[in-house]
Amino acid sequence: PFLELVDQWIVTGADSQRSVPAEVLSELVKAEGATSVCPRPDVAAACQLVCGLAEPGQRVLVFGSFYIAGPAMTALALYCAPS
């Protein structure tokens, strides 16, 4: 459902034994019709690439399990300091 909304797919696996490798995810996304897919070895590398590609005003969508979302929030410095 996101194919028409996403310009660039950056995929990565999670730090988990049950994770699907980024290269496999990349092929699965391409098989669904995505044309611009970049696999990255880990969440930090994926976030680093996103930060280099995204322009002001653009949105970045991170989805997956907590094994992806948590490290992405850390890599993107989105955690708030405890109050």
Side-chain angles (χ1 to χ4, degrees):
F2 292 106
L3 284 176
E4 296 176 12
L5 302 173
V6 176
D7 295 323
Q8 175 77 38
W9 291 87
I10 300 168
V11 299
T12 189
D15 186 15
S16 167
Q17 291 178 338
R18 295 176 41 192
S19 177
V20 176
E23 294 78 18
V24 174
L25 285 174
S26 178
E27 293 305 317
L28 291 170
V29 173
K30 287 177 186 176
E32 291 297 321
T35 56
S36 184
V37 184
C38 258
R40 286 295 174 259
D42 56 49
V43 174
C47 289
Q48 183 177 14
L49 178 59
V50 164
C51 287
L53 293 174
E55 297 179 13
Q58 288 185 318
R59 291 194 173 110
V60 173
L61 174 64
V62 176
F63 53 94
S65 71
F66 287 111
Y67 290 104
I68 296 289
M73 289 180 70
T74 299
L76 296 170
L78 296 176
Y79 278 115
C80 296
S83 53

